[in-house]
PDB file of all heavy atoms in Angstrom:
ATOM      1  N   LEU O 743     -22.292   7.010  -4.363  1.00 98.00           N
ATOM      2  CA  LEU O 743     -22.690   6.586  -2.924  1.00 98.00           C
ATOM      3  C   LEU O 743     -21.869   7.267  -1.896  1.00 98.00           C
ATOM      4  O   LEU O 743     -22.242   7.656  -0.793  1.00 98.00           O
ATOM      5  CB  LEU O 743     -22.673   5.136  -2.688  1.00 98.00           C
ATOM      6  CG  LEU O 743     -23.720   4.250  -3.526  1.00 98.00           C
ATOM      7  CD1 LEU O 743     -23.394   2.821  -3.444  1.00 98.00           C
ATOM      8  CD2 LEU O 743     -25.069   4.584  -3.067  1.00 98.00           C
ATOM      9  N   LYS O 744     -20.555   7.311  -2.227  1.00 98.00           N
ATOM     10  CA  LYS O 744     -19.609   7.801  -1.149  1.00 98.00           C
ATOM     11  C   LYS O 744     -18.386   8.468  -1.802  1.00 98.00           C
ATOM     12  O   LYS O 744     -18.155   8.194  -2.963  1.00 98.00           O
ATOM     13  CB  LYS O 744     -18.987   6.579  -0.371  1.00 98.00           C
ATOM     14  CG  LYS O 744     -20.034   5.769   0.436  1.00 98.00           C
ATOM     15  CD  LYS O 744     -20.574   6.682   1.653  1.00 98.00           C
ATOM     16  CE  LYS O 744     -21.749   5.970   2.311  1.00 98.00           C
ATOM     17  NZ  LYS O 744     -21.936   6.517   3.612  1.00 98.00           N
ATOM     18  N   GLY O 751      -4.872   1.462 -12.865  1.00 98.00           N
ATOM     19  CA  GLY O 751      -3.918   0.307 -12.829  1.00 98.00           C
ATOM     20  C   GLY O 751      -3.545  -0.012 -14.252  1.00 98.00           C
ATOM     21  O   GLY O 751      -3.961   0.446 -15.172  1.00 98.00           O
ATOM     22  N   ARG O 767      -1.463  10.688  -3.285  1.00 98.00           N
ATOM     23  CA  ARG O 767      -0.957  10.869  -1.920  1.00 98.00           C
ATOM     24  C   ARG O 767      -1.731  11.872  -1.300  1.00 98.00           C
ATOM     25  O   ARG O 767      -1.871  13.025  -1.857  1.00 98.00           O
ATOM     26  CB  ARG O 767       0.554  11.151  -2.050  1.00 98.00           C
ATOM     27  CG  ARG O 767       1.205  11.115  -0.632  1.00 98.00           C
ATOM     28  CD  ARG O 767       2.703  10.747  -0.829  1.00 98.00           C
ATOM     29  NE  ARG O 767       3.268  10.643   0.514  1.00 98.00           N
ATOM     30  CZ  ARG O 767       4.540  10.395   0.697  1.00 98.00           C
ATOM     31  NH1 ARG O 767       5.393  10.131  -0.328  1.00 98.00           N
ATOM     32  NH2 ARG O 767       5.082  10.221   2.037  1.00 98.00           N
ATOM     33  N   TYR O 783       6.129  -4.707  -2.307  1.00 94.00           N
ATOM     34  CA  TYR O 783       5.862  -4.905  -0.768  1.00 94.00           C
ATOM     35  C   TYR O 783       7.191  -4.685  -0.112  1.00 94.00           C
ATOM     36  O   TYR O 783       8.314  -4.664  -0.785  1.00 94.00           O
ATOM     37  CB  TYR O 783       5.205  -6.186  -0.603  1.00 94.00           C
ATOM     38  CG  TYR O 783       5.933  -7.407  -1.227  1.00 94.00           C
ATOM     39  CD1 TYR O 783       6.846  -8.057  -0.465  1.00 94.00           C
ATOM     40  CD2 TYR O 783       5.594  -7.825  -2.502  1.00 94.00           C
ATOM     41  CE1 TYR O 783       7.537  -9.137  -0.954  1.00 94.00           C
ATOM     42  CE2 TYR O 783       6.209  -8.942  -3.063  1.00 94.00           C
ATOM     43  CZ  TYR O 783       7.164  -9.608  -2.234  1.00 94.00           C
ATOM     44  OH  TYR O 783       7.795 -10.727  -2.829  1.00 94.00           O
ATOM     45  N   CYS O 805      -1.144  -0.534  -2.297  1.00 98.00           N
ATOM     46  CA  CYS O 805      -1.088  -0.970  -3.728  1.00 98.00           C
ATOM     47  C   CYS O 805      -2.058  -2.208  -3.873  1.00 98.00           C
ATOM     48  O   CYS O 805      -2.550  -2.743  -2.944  1.00 98.00           O
ATOM     49  CB  CYS O 805       0.201  -1.251  -4.177  1.00 98.00           C
ATOM     50  SG  CYS O 805       1.104  -2.532  -3.289  1.00 98.00           S
ATOM     51  N   LYS O 818      11.666  -1.374   8.747  1.00 96.00           N
ATOM     52  CA  LYS O 818      12.848  -0.590   8.348  1.00 96.00           C
ATOM     53  C   LYS O 818      12.496   0.898   8.136  1.00 96.00           C
ATOM     54  O   LYS O 818      13.301   1.685   8.410  1.00 96.00           O
ATOM     55  CB  LYS O 818      13.446  -1.171   7.028  1.00 96.00           C
ATOM     56  CG  LYS O 818      14.282  -2.372   7.208  1.00 96.00           C
ATOM     57  CD  LYS O 818      14.897  -2.843   5.848  1.00 96.00           C
ATOM     58  CE  LYS O 818      15.587  -4.089   6.116  1.00 96.00           C
ATOM     59  NZ  LYS O 818      16.215  -4.590   4.853  1.00 96.00           N
ATOM     60  N   VAL O 855     -10.653  -7.887   7.488  1.00 98.00           N
ATOM     61  CA  VAL O 855     -10.660  -8.520   6.106  1.00 98.00           C
ATOM     62  C   VAL O 855     -12.028  -8.937   5.830  1.00 98.00           C
ATOM     63  O   VAL O 855     -12.734  -9.512   6.542  1.00 98.00           O
ATOM     64  CB  VAL O 855      -9.749  -9.765   6.088  1.00 98.00           C
ATOM     65  CG1 VAL O 855      -9.892 -10.451   4.769  1.00 98.00           C
ATOM     66  CG2 VAL O 855      -8.267  -9.297   6.340  1.00 98.00           C
TER      67      VAL O 855
END
Side-chain angles (χ1 to χ4, degrees):
L743 297 171
K744 296 293 175 164
R767 191 155 183 179
Y783 53 91
C805 60
K818 286 184 180 178
V855 174

